[in-house]
Amino acid sequence: MAAQNLRIPGPVPMPDAVRAALANQMINHRGSEFKLLLSDVRARLAGIFATQNEILCFTSSGTGGLEAATVNLFSPGDRALMVTGGVFGDRAITIAQTFGIQVTKLEHSWGTAASPAALRDALRANPDIKLVYLTHNETSTGVTNPISKLTQVIHEESAALILVDSVSGLGALPFETDAWGIDVVVTGSQKAFGCPPGMSMISVSPKAWDAVARSKMPRFYWDFQRMREAHSEGSTPYTPAVTVFFGLSAALELMDQEGNEARFARHVRAGDLVRHGVLDMGLGLFADPPYNSNIVTAITLPEGISPQTVREELRARYNTVIAGGLGKLKDSVVRIGHVGFFTQEDLTKTLEQLDTVVKRLKR
Ligand SMILES: *Cc1c(COP(=O)(O)O)cnc(C)c1O
């Protein structure tokens, strides 16, 4: 299969060092090699999360991590305030409701960011909530929420637990788990980490561990306590995605070499480059400034040009793959991912191709 020019917001192209690591022969997942691998990966991850909290590694996509957080933190009937402005916020709400959580939704319109003032009002109106849920980077709309401002309001108004979905943000966008006082953060292997899908990494604060101990939700595979005990012995309760660990170890090495600040700056430059390119070619940005995401750009097209056609043309002419819209944005936007390991040329090439395709379709 010819390598695609894959420009979606995850999974993303893997660096050579990650691809090489994935070719390693299998090892005993209960042996000393895996023990070392797990402790190395968890220690490096703590640096990316900016936390002293424990990191758990589950074999699953990001959604599994969010379900894991749900079944470990709540008991049926508990109340949550869940902030949403897109497909992924809505999905987290659906997960919670599936498990009998009473959800108060705080919605902001798609393309805008969550408002700290609206959050303050909602917290005052709902003093008995157990947890507040936030989406760091709403990948469906191309919005990055102001997490530090939102968590500051939560700390001022409430003692609720804070759960953040940073599946697409962590590792690419500034994020401070401990400084911002976030109890549980969920991320995944296939976005900023440039690895295959298959692992969800979750940080759990001491306050969250207290909630886990009290939670009465039935759970088995997702049980945090079981995972913590196994991790403390350098293992996992069930067979882990050993190969994804190989890849993640190589990716974290590259991420450490580049450094957090340089990596964040590279994503800022990518966001600027793509947004300017989009506006220069006469297309529109779906998300409102200044909260445009630096890892994905949702692009609106001229009247009469369909996202599906643009994507098909890019694929047919250049083997370039960009993402379509999700949910109600299916027929109105295309999205270019700029997360993980990419070069500026990868993005300028994709923008030039998009420009050519749109101009041809306009004629
Ligand atoms: C990708 C993503 C997820 C998880 O998706 P999976 O396909 O389950 O890995 C969750 N939230 C956000 C914001 C995402 O971008």
Side-chain angles (χ1 to χ4, degrees):
M1 202 162 44
Q4 301 172 348
N5 176 31
L6 184 63
R7 300 296 148 206
I8 67 176
V12 299
M14 298 180 289
D16 289 343
V18 170
R19 296 180 67 192
L22 299 178
N24 270 305
Q25 185 54 281
M26 201 40 61
I27 57 172
N28 175 12
H29 66 299
R30 305 260 178 249
S32 54
E33 295 86 358
F34 184 78
K35 194 171 179 172
L36 276 175
L37 184 59
L38 177 65
S39 84
D40 173 61
V41 163
R42 290 178 74 219
R44 288 178 192 264
L45 281 172
I48 305 288
F49 280 74
T51 190
Q52 307 280 331
N53 294 337
E54 271 180 82
I55 313 274
L56 306 179
C57 300
F58 280 90
T59 300
S60 77
S61 79
T63 306
L66 289 162
E67 178 160 330
T70 305
V71 298
N72 280 279
L73 296 171
F74 291 110
S75 297
D78 279 346
R79 297 198 54 207
L81 176 62
M82 300 185 72
V83 184
T84 179
V87 166
F88 291 101
D90 286 358
R91 184 188 291 174
I93 289 172
T94 304
I95 295 171
Q97 289 172 334
T98 301
F99 288 93
I101 310 309
Q102 293 184 49
V103 175
T104 299
K105 265 194 225 184
L106 178 59
E107 295 188 80
H108 50 102
S109 58
W110 289 27
T112 69
S115 147
L119 179 57
R120 192 182 299 278
D121 291 345
L123 286 163
R124 289 186 181 170
N126 297 278
D128 57 343
I129 51 141
K130 178 167 187 183
L131 177 147
V132 181
Y133 163 87
L134 305 169
T135 312
H136 177 205
N137 186 84
E138 182 46 81
T139 318
S140 64
T141 59
V143 166
T144 300
N145 285 306
I147 295 297
S148 64
K149 292 191 185 125
L150 296 165
T151 52
Q152 191 184 329
V153 167
I154 300 168
H155 293 304
E156 283 166 11
E157 299 292 336
S158 154
L161 291 162
I162 305 178
L163 165 63
V164 176
D165 167 348
S166 190
V167 177
S168 61
L170 198 82
L173 306 175
F175 198 90
E176 295 284 339
T177 300
D178 288 356
W180 299 346
I182 303 173
D183 295 295
V184 176
V185 179
V186 177
T187 193
S189 54
Q190 80 274 26
K191 294 183 183 172
F193 297 90
C195 282
M199 202 192 305
S200 180
M201 302 86 89
I202 308 172
S203 71
V204 186
S205 75
K207 183 170 153 191
W209 282 114
D210 289 344
V212 174
R214 289 195 308 273
S215 149
K216 294 193 172 56
M217 196 74 79
R219 53 184 180 261
F220 184 83
Y221 185 80
W222 300 121
D223 191 75
F224 277 5
Q225 198 61 49
R226 246 190 224 108
M227 187 59 86
R228 178 192 216 180
E229 279 159 26
H231 276 1
S232 75
E233 289 157 11
S235 178
T236 55
Y238 330 104
T239 314
V242 174
T243 306
V244 184
F245 274 97
F246 289 148
L248 197 52
S249 176
L252 287 163
E253 175 68 34
L254 294 175
M255 291 168 85
D256 282 352
Q257 279 168 15
E258 183 176 22
N260 284 338
E261 295 309 318
R263 198 168 349 92
F264 300 154
R266 182 167 54 80
H267 285 86
V268 171
R269 288 196 300 277
D272 282 340
L273 178 86
V274 173
R275 287 190 293 275
H276 282 123
V278 164
L279 294 175
D280 284 350
M281 65 179 92
L283 306 180
L285 299 173
F286 180 74
D288 286 349
Y291 294 109
N292 312 81
S293 170
N294 286 323
I295 73 106
V296 58
T297 301
I299 302 166
T300 57
L301 299 168
E303 224 15 71
I305 296 189
S306 98
Q308 286 80 356
T309 311
V310 169
R311 294 177 59 223
E312 279 161 22
E313 286 283 310
L314 280 169
R315 182 65 203 264
R317 294 176 131 248
Y318 306 109
N319 204 16
T320 286
V321 177
I322 66 172
L326 296 176
K328 66 186 180 195
L329 299 181
K330 185 169 164 286
D331 295 320
S332 47
V333 304
V334 293
R335 293 173 304 143
I336 294 182
H338 28 93
V339 57
F341 298 88
F342 56 81
T343 63
Q344 189 157 316
E345 296 75 69
D346 294 330
L347 304 178
T348 48
K349 183 174 75 175
T350 305
L351 289 167
E352 279 164 24
Q353 294 167 350
L354 177 64
D355 190 31
T356 307
V357 162
V358 170
K359 282 200 175 113
R360 271 172 55 91
L361 290 171
K362 268 205 243 173
R363 280 210 296 265

